[in-house]
């Protein structure tokens, strides 16, 4: 426990001055992040199916105390929701929505149209050829209408379209795009809005806080607005590194999206503490590299130096978010604790990453206390 953290907790009355251990200290923290940020923006986290099912009572407590919004890590994606034949399997999605209802937490739907985690068979015939545009429209209509209406009034935000801009800063040549062109985006938003007019609808993507892809996303969003498509917010995923993007780039992005009349959300925030020396800025989950021990330097824990850098990076981000709180609706972390982060397996399988606020044993890291007192 650092002196500052201890002093803050004692001064704020959160912990008795005699508190001997960090474990006890944590046990006696009475307010959480959602309280700290309640007048600024929602603070969210993503839940995997086990967490939503309540299999980790300690994590349930952490969520209740700290987070004012939840997102489903996988449960509402096509691949999780439907069998190869198209039958619906609602168990995990229902569980996620029930968790939000039970604990009265703002809940996000993620996502209605995405090129990934969806079977090719949605787009192709048995002979491997693309289905006709009318057939894809029919499938999209059934999918979006069924899903959005099932949870109408229970999911406040929807990530309607995910990652439609490619790493080459032009429209991604996804199956959706190849069959329907950009119209698949208009269609998804129009359908979602028709079914649940009170839901807040977002376009969500990674690296759109960086030069190049930002401009491509702004151009797309500008076209959507011009066509009267009901897009109300932008989700900057925020899967970022320790050394980039810069705070200046992120600030430029917040301002540019807000100027377009969109509410800004950080939807999948995490900070990769491992090196990204390979030549790929991408967060596309299809990208993979080979494991080597040198690429897994914090296998037995973070150094103090790296841990301090992580705290400083998060602190700088939250200072920026606070500065622009009038434009930002929500900041959601992509997960709660380091044992369950996707970054343990991306883009190299089996590494030990430390990107979140809670460690592998579900204890708060220094950064947690730094944010708590902001
Ligand atoms: C993307 C998706 C998320 C998730 C992350 C990585 O950013 O939007 O649903 O799959 O990748 O886990």
């Amino acid at each position: 426990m650092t002196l500052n953290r201890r002093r803050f907790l004692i001064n704020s009355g959160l912990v008795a001055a005699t508190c001997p251990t960090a474990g006890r200290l944590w046990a006696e923290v009475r307010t959480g992040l959602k309280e700290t940020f309640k007048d600024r923006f929602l603070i969210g986290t993503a839940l995997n199916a086990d967490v939503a099912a309540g299999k980790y009572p300690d994590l349930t407590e952490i969520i209740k105390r700290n987070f004012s919004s939840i997102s489903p890590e996988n449960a509402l994606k096509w691949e999780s929701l439907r069998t190869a034949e198209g039958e619906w399997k609602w168990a995990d999605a229902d569980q996620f929505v029930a968790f939000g209802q039970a604990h009265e937490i703002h809940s996000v739907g993620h996502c209605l149209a995405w090129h990934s985690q969806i079977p090719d068979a949605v787009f192709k015939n048995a002979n491997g050829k693309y289905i006709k545009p009318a057939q894809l429209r029919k499938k999209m209509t059934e999918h979006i209408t069924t899903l959005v209406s099932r949870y109408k009034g229970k999911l406040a935000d929807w990530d309607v379209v995910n990652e439609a801009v490619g790493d080459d800063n032009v429209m991604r040549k996804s199956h959706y795009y190849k069959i329907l062109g950009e119209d698949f985006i208009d269609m998804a938003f129009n359908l979602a809005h028709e079914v649940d007019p009170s839901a807040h609808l977002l376009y969500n993507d990674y690296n759109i806080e960086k030069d190049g892809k930002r401009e491509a996303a702004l151009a797309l969003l500008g076209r959507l607005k011009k066509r009267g498509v009901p897009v109300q917010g932008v989700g900057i995923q925020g899967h970022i590194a320790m050394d980039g993007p810069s705070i200046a780039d992120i600030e430029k992005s917040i301002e540019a999206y807000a100027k377009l009349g969109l509410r800004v959300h950080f939807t999948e925030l995490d900070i990769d503490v491992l090196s990204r020396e390979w030549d790929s800025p991408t967060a596309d989950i299809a990208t993979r590299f080979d494991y080597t021990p040198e690429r897994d330097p914090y296998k037995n824990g973070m150094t103090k130096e790296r841990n301090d850098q992580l705290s400083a990076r998060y602190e700088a981000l939250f200072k920026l978010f606070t500065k622009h709180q009038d434009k930002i609706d929500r900041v959601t972390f992509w997960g709660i604790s380091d044992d369950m982060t996707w970054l343990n397996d991306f883009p190299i399988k089996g590494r030990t990453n430390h990107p979140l606020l809670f460690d592998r044993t579900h204890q708060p890291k220094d950064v947690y206390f730094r944010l708590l007192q902001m």
Side-chain angles (χ1 to χ4, degrees), residues 73 77 110 114 117 162-163 237 239 268 285 334 342:
E73 202 170 325
K77 294 171 181 173
H110 170 83
W114 186 28
Q117 295 187 249
N162 201 24
E163 305 179 350
Q237 289 184 1
H239 295 295
E268 306 184 16
I285 61 168
W334 203 242
W342 73 295

Side-chain angles (χ1 to χ4, degrees), residues 313-328:
R313 176 88 162 127
Y314 266 124
E315 216 168 23
L317 279 173
F318 275 80
K319 270 192 192 136
L320 178 73
F321 298 156
T322 296
K323 179 175 172 193
H324 292 287
Q325 57 181 283
D326 59 322
K327 307 174 189 71
I328 297 175

